[in-house]
Structure formats: C-alpha cells, structure tokens
Amino acid sequence: MLSVNGQYVHRILDNITSNLLKYADPAGDIAVRFVRENSMAGLCFENQVLPIPVSSESTKVGLPSIETMMEKMQGVCRIERPEGVFRMTLLFNTAKE
C-alpha cells in the first residue's frame, strides 16, 4: 500500500503523459514498469527520445514540478538519460501495516 496525495499524482501523471506525447519517439515503445526498492515502490517510465530536437516551446517547468511534488510526498523522482533514452523512476514510501 502506498500513501500518496491524489491531486499530486494526477498532476504528475498528466505531466508525464504530456511529455511523452511531445518528446518520445513514436517509432519506439514506451515501457512502464512497477518497481520496488527497499521500503519504496512505484513506477518507472522509459522511452526512446526523438532523434530530431523539438522546437524550443518547452517551459522547462515540467520535470522540476514533478520532482517538487514527489519531495512533498516524501518520495523520490530519479531521472536518467542514457544515450537516446529517457527514464524516470517515481518511488513512494510504502505504508506500514
């Protein structure tokens, strides 16, 4: 069981979906996996990035806002960018029973 702020999670998933539509290579798959690390659990999103840079219409606030909301929920947002790939892992504390 995870303890989360529903409004934050909705905004985070909305932001991720928007970013995938803008920046993911439509020729590649988008992988979404459930992950568990120590006392945390969550989701990992991974996709190939567009080979040609998109226009500079980005406001550059999406990823920092996700990180801020995750911090407010005592969660972790880990972003990795191995060559040609974008990976975001969101980890939430698991509720103690």
Side-chain angles (χ1 to χ4, degrees):
M1 184 181 302
L2 303 176
S3 178
V4 300
N5 176 309
Q7 185 177 13
Y8 284 165
V9 171
H10 183 269
R11 288 174 54 198
I12 288 168
L13 293 176
D14 201 37
N15 187 301
I16 290 171
T17 303
S18 175
N19 285 350
L20 288 169
L21 290 171
K22 288 184 215 173
Y23 306 117
D25 186 346
D29 291 334
I30 296 170
V32 181
R33 299 181 282 122
F34 288 101
V35 293
R36 186 170 186 95
E37 293 183 16
N38 302 316
S39 64
M40 302 184 95
L43 297 169
C44 178
F45 300 86
E46 184 173 301
N47 61 276
Q48 299 292 322
V49 295
L50 283 170
I52 301 168
V54 295
S55 66
S56 60
E57 65 186 56
S58 173
T59 60
K60 307 281 190 221
V61 297
L63 296 180
S65 68
I66 290 173
E67 291 171 324
T68 298
M69 287 184 276
M70 289 299 295
E71 287 174 14
K72 288 181 178 182
M73 292 185 287
Q74 288 79 48
V76 173
C77 175
R78 187 170 53 231
I79 297 171
E80 301 166 279
R81 293 182 175 102
E83 189 170 326
V85 174
F86 179 85
R87 182 180 309 124
M88 176 186 288
T89 305
L90 304 175
L91 294 168
F92 303 89
N93 287 311
T94 55
K96 295 179 174 54
E97 294 183 31

